[in-house]
């Protein structure tokens, strides 16, 4: 009956092909996202977020609480004796894509010395932002995808314009999809006061042992019991797993 019912047969073949195409596309999307996010971060870095939070956007860390952790011996220091320790905040805004659509953009407030803690960062254009200045650097992915995100352009956020002064690479990680600006000015602009979304620091010595000791301190000190510590790679792997699972389930529902 295939030759006799040509129209129905062609529709069946096309329908099955479309289902397979959609499912493969969504699985590829999930795997691509998992690889991009899971490769972010350094195994030597530890991140502090609020206990129970799955991501930085859901977390809150007070400056005073972070200062206690900053003094722990598990925090590595540079040649000058300064702790390799960052207070960071993130927000998500909607910006226009180059094709005319809309896309989410993560804005990260971080200190100027972020390059000393975040590994794999390389400036490919321009320069790094200066402390206290309304300047931003953007990842190469942002510069490619979003409209008017080149050197010299302005990025609006937190009630002010941020001049884009640099473009950076991060070994293809999720950080390349972010825009970074000075942490203190970021806190003021977005009215966050002394509340950050996370704390990132380089571990002294073996990171797993440092993580175990820091977690023991968090559990023992009443001032720190609202926090949890993860390795940076563990944190990003968790983010990748959550999103990949969501995409896979969505793909399965559409296929079904």
């Amino acid at each position: 009956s295939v030759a006799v019912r040509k129209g129905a047969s062609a529709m069946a073949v096309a329908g099955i092909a479309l289902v397979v195409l959609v499912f493969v596309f969504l699985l590829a999307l999930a795997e691509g996202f998992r690889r991009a996010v899971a490769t972010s971060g350094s195994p030597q870095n530890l991140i502090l977020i609020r206990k129970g939070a799955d991501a930085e956007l859901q977390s809150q860390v007070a400056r005073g609480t972070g200062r206690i952790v900053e003094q722990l011996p598990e925090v590595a220091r540079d040649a000058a004796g300064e702790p390799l320790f960052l207070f960071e905040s993130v927000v998500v805004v909607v910006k226009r894509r180059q094709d005319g659509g809309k896309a989410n953009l993560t804005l990260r407030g971080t200190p100027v010395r972020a390059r000393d803690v975040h590994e794999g960062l390389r400036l490919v254009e321009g320069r790094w932002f200066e402390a206290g200045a309304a300047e931003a650097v953007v990842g190469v992915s942002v510069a490619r995808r979003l409209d008017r995100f080149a050197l010299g352009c302005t990025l609006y956020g937190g009630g002010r314009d941020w001049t884009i002064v640099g473009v950076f690479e991060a070994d293809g990680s999720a950080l390349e999809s972010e825009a970074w600006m000075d942490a203190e000015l970021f806190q003021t602009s977005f009215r966050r006061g002394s509340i950050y979304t996370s704390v990132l620091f380089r571990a002294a010595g073996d990171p797993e042992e440092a993580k175990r000791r820091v977690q023991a301190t968090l559990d023992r000190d009443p001032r720190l019991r609202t926090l949890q510590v993860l390795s940076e790679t563990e944190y990003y792997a968790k983010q990748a797993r959550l999103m990949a699972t969501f995409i896979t389930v969505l793909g399965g529902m559409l296929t079904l």
Side-chain angles (χ1 to χ4, degrees), residues 8 14 16 39 49 59 76 86 91 105 113 118 129 152 172 198 216 220 244:
I16 294 172
T39 55
I49 57 175
S59 174
L86 307 175
V91 298
L105 171 65
R113 66 174 310 181
H118 286 283
F129 64 83
S198 67
R220 185 171 58 251

Side-chain angles (χ1 to χ4, degrees), residues 42-134:
S42 165
Q44 194 64 35
N45 289 344
L46 300 180
I47 183 171
L48 284 176
I49 57 175
R50 182 177 57 82
K51 189 175 293 185
D54 291 324
E56 288 177 277
L57 284 172
Q58 304 166 359
S59 174
Q60 291 184 340
V61 180
R63 190 199 304 269
T65 304
R67 291 298 183 199
I68 299 173
V69 178
E70 187 177 12
Q71 303 306 315
L72 295 179
E74 290 78 23
V75 178
R77 297 179 179 272
D78 61 16
E82 294 296 321
L84 296 172
F85 190 93
L86 307 175
F87 285 98
E88 296 191 320
S89 289
V90 296
V91 298
V92 174
V93 296
V94 178
K95 296 296 179 182
R96 183 178 298 277
R97 297 171 58 96
Q98 291 187 2
D99 59 11
K102 300 280 187 170
N104 288 338
L105 171 65
T106 298
L107 305 181
R108 180 178 297 274
T110 188
V112 172
R113 66 174 310 181
R115 290 179 293 177
D116 297 335
V117 181
H118 286 283
E119 291 188 351
L121 296 183
R122 294 181 303 278
L123 274 174
V124 294
E125 290 184 74
R127 60 175 175 82
W128 201 249
F129 64 83
E130 296 182 356

Side-chain angles (χ1 to χ4, degrees), residues 164-184:
I164 298 175
V165 297
V167 179
F168 68 88
E169 290 180 338
D171 292 334
S173 71
L175 299 178
E176 292 183 353
S177 296
E178 298 182 352
W180 293 11
M181 50 273 291
D182 176 62
E184 295 307 312

